[in-house]
Amino acid sequence: MHTKRVVVIGMGFGGVRAARALAGSGLDVLLIDRNNYHLFQPLLYQVASAGLEQESIAYSIRAMARQWPNVRFHLTEVTGVNFDAREVQTTSGPVGYEYLIIGAGSATNFFGLTTVQQHAYDLKELEDAEVLRNQILSCFEQAVTEPDPARKRALMTFVIVGGGPTGVEFAGALIELVTYVLAKDYPELGIHTARVVLVEATDRLLAAMPQELGMYTLQKLRSMCVEVLLNAQVVDADDMRVVLHDGAVIPAHTLIWSAGVKAAPLAATLQTAHAGGGRIPVQPDLTLADHPEVYVVGDMAWLEQEGKILPMVAPVAMQMGAYAGAAVLTREQGETPEPFCYRDKGSMATIGRNTAVATAFGLNLKGYPAWLAWLLLHVYYLIGFRNRIVVLLNWVWYYWFHERQVRLITRRKASE
């Protein structure tokens, strides 16, 4: 007797929740991803700022799958989907399905700024964080032997674009790395000349949060010596400078881009309608209009709820993934699932040691209580007991000793 197959593309937050809901259901569940691990993206910036090892925020997909009955994993790249034939095209051959859940995530959106894309660092993949950490530490090493004061200062200048949670968190982590750790590692450098510049195109930080928390974040970052530029846009860049919309030039060898995301490249290959940022419009039950057996979840899905498009954030992806998995099981029982309804449980961002902001259930938190809530929630959502322990120990160590253990340059540039 043929067992119906459910293919899940992408093992991000949405894919993991969908697989977990489908495990042991009697269906043949096949997971497909180009990486063999699930990545906890919200902590990538801590890898880049030498706070965590790469392995502590990633978890083997096969280790998860072996705990789930009737769930298998294929390490391969998805190149497209033939909806009519119900086949997923991959680099290792076609894969048939009865149900398909697409959760391939997102990619960095540079908004057509070609030179910026060529010279900026982003944080979407595990390798990106390692590359950025190498760049930051290498800049300080080069600054030690650089005789030109202007070039030395440019080597120690880091421009972060985007005043959302990622930009804010990375700016805080980077200035603390410079102030508390690198100042001791490089006593021959005038660390006070190092600059962390946060550039935001609008007139406030953390636009998705209440204005009170955005103002608190701005004041905190500035008190930590982060230079925050509001109503400013980066329009050009090269290896040695960053150019703003008003013609101002910031001499800097490192530009970090966290100003926007768009649907993963896979979305563009799919023969269906597309909306803003390349995202795919879905029905209230997260299916495609002409293909009710296909679900799109997470950052790739475009869905309006209460007059607003759901944001491209992890909580949305997790709830969509869990819903899609449960919806498949409901349909297999001959019933019609209720429409998807996102329940906003709030958002949060850490600014630095003992300092964060959070909003949840109508309450606004800031300072130490918000920081503690941020810490506990991130540890809770990490996959794997070992990862939770390693991350927690790293944070405790840093909290008491102001030390970051992962100050490793693991790859040098060819010119070096």
Side-chain angles (χ1 to χ4, degrees), residues 280-289 294-296 301-305 310 320 323-324 327 336-342:
I280 299 173
V282 294
Q283 301 299 298
D285 63 353
L286 305 185
T287 61
L288 297 183
V294 178
Y295 293 81
V296 181
W302 175 278
L303 180 65
E304 182 176 320
Q305 185 173 299
L310 294 181
M320 283 184 167
Y323 170 89
T336 301
E338 295 291 327
F340 172 74
C341 180
Y342 172 61

Side-chain angles (χ1 to χ4, degrees), residues 43-54 56 129-130 132-134 136-137 170 173-174 176-178 181-182 185 394-395 397-398 402-409:
L43 292 181
L44 269 177
Y45 79 93
Q46 294 214 357
V47 175
S49 57
L52 296 174
E53 300 92 342
Q54 295 94 304
S56 64
E130 183 183 6
L132 182 51
R133 185 189 68 205
N134 289 340
I136 293 168
L137 297 177
F170 190 56
L174 187 53
E176 288 191 339
L177 172 67
V178 171
V181 182
L182 300 185
D185 284 354
N394 271 276
W395 285 346
W397 184 265
Y398 173 68
H402 280 300
E403 280 289 341
R404 297 190 186 179
Q405 298 301 102
V406 202
R407 302 192 302 280
L408 309 177
I409 300 174

Side-chain angles (χ1 to χ4, degrees), residues 50 53 59 85 88 95 119 216 275 279 286-288 296 334 348 389 392-393 408 412:
E53 300 92 342
Y59 194 80
V88 176
V95 177
H119 296 97
Y216 174 84
R279 299 166 74 183
L286 305 185
T287 61
L288 297 183
V296 181
M348 55 179 57
I389 294 299
L392 194 56
L393 287 176
L408 309 177
R412 292 182 295 175

Side-chain angles (χ1 to χ4, degrees), residues 68-403:
W68 298 334
N70 301 323
V71 176
R72 298 173 295 122
F73 170 64
H74 282 182
L75 178 65
T76 187
E77 181 90 24
V78 175
T79 57
V81 179
N82 186 330
F83 294 127
D84 295 330
R86 296 195 180 186
E87 279 188 347
V88 176
Q89 279 115 31
T90 75
T91 52
S92 56
V95 177
Y97 64 84
E98 272 76 33
Y99 294 99
L100 176 63
I101 299 175
I102 306 175
S106 59
T108 302
N109 191 350
F110 290 96
F111 304 104
L113 299 172
T114 305
T115 56
V116 171
Q117 184 172 356
Q118 291 172 347
H119 296 97
Y121 295 84
D122 63 352
L123 283 172
K124 295 299 291 182
E125 302 283 349
L126 197 57
E127 185 179 6
D128 296 337
E130 183 183 6
V131 169
L132 182 51
R133 185 189 68 205
N134 289 340
Q135 168 68 10
I136 293 168
L137 297 177
S138 294
C139 281
F140 277 89
E141 294 292 347
Q142 293 173 48
V144 170
T145 57
E146 176 55 55
D148 182 358
R151 181 173 168 81
K152 185 189 294 280
R153 184 171 174 80
L155 282 166
M156 294 191 295
T157 298
F158 306 91
V159 179
I160 303 168
V161 182
T166 300
V168 165
E169 292 183 342
F170 190 56
L174 187 53
I175 197 66
E176 288 191 339
L177 172 67
V178 171
T179 304
Y180 297 119
V181 182
L182 300 185
K184 294 181 290 186
D185 284 354
Y186 301 91
E188 64 269 57
L189 292 176
I191 293 295
H192 63 279
T193 63
R195 301 172 65 194
V196 176
V197 184
L198 179 61
V199 180
E200 166 56 33
T202 67
D203 60 356
R204 54 174 295 198
L205 300 178
L206 301 175
M209 292 189 181
Q211 188 167 1
E212 168 198 351
L213 299 183
M215 289 300 298
Y216 174 84
T217 301
L218 175 63
Q219 294 166 3
K220 272 296 182 181
L221 285 176
R222 284 179 170 166
S223 72
M224 296 164 65
C225 297
V226 175
E227 300 176 37
V228 182
L229 306 180
L230 300 177
N231 296 308
Q233 300 175 40
V234 170
V235 296
D236 196 10
D238 58 31
D239 289 336
M240 302 180 66
R241 61 177 192 147
V242 176
V243 182
L244 303 184
H245 71 288
D246 59 0
V249 175
I250 303 174
H253 288 242
T254 308
L255 170 63
I256 301 104
W257 189 268
S258 64
V261 291
K262 59 183 179 181
L266 175 62
T269 71
L270 303 181
Q271 300 300 309
T272 186
H274 292 80
R279 299 166 74 183
I280 299 173
V282 294
Q283 301 299 298
D285 63 353
L286 305 185
T287 61
L288 297 183
D290 299 327
H291 299 280
E293 74 284 355
V294 178
Y295 293 81
V296 181
V297 303
D299 292 348
M300 291 181 67
W302 175 278
L303 180 65
E304 182 176 320
Q305 185 173 299
E306 297 180 355
K308 297 181 180 179
I309 303 301
L310 294 181
M312 301 167 75
V313 294
V316 173
M318 289 190 284
Q319 291 185 34
M320 283 184 167
Y323 170 89
V328 168
L329 299 182
T330 299
R331 289 175 59 178
E332 279 299 291
Q333 295 170 359
E335 302 175 9
T336 301
E338 295 291 327
F340 172 74
C341 180
Y342 172 61
R343 293 172 175 81
D344 188 356
K345 299 178 181 179
S347 57
M348 55 179 57
T350 181
I351 306 168
R353 186 174 182 267
N354 288 339
T355 307
V357 291
T359 177
F361 307 110
L363 298 176
N364 294 336
L365 300 176
K366 56 188 178 183
Y368 183 79
W371 176 80
L372 188 60
W374 179 93
L375 185 151
L376 294 175
L377 193 67
H378 281 67
V379 169
Y380 173 78
Y381 278 117
L382 275 169
I383 296 178
F385 179 75
R386 175 193 173 277
N387 285 5
R388 291 173 182 150
I389 294 299
V390 168
V391 168
L392 194 56
L393 287 176
N394 271 276
W395 285 346
V396 169
W397 184 265
Y398 173 68
Y399 185 84
W400 289 109
F401 299 105
H402 280 300
E403 280 289 341

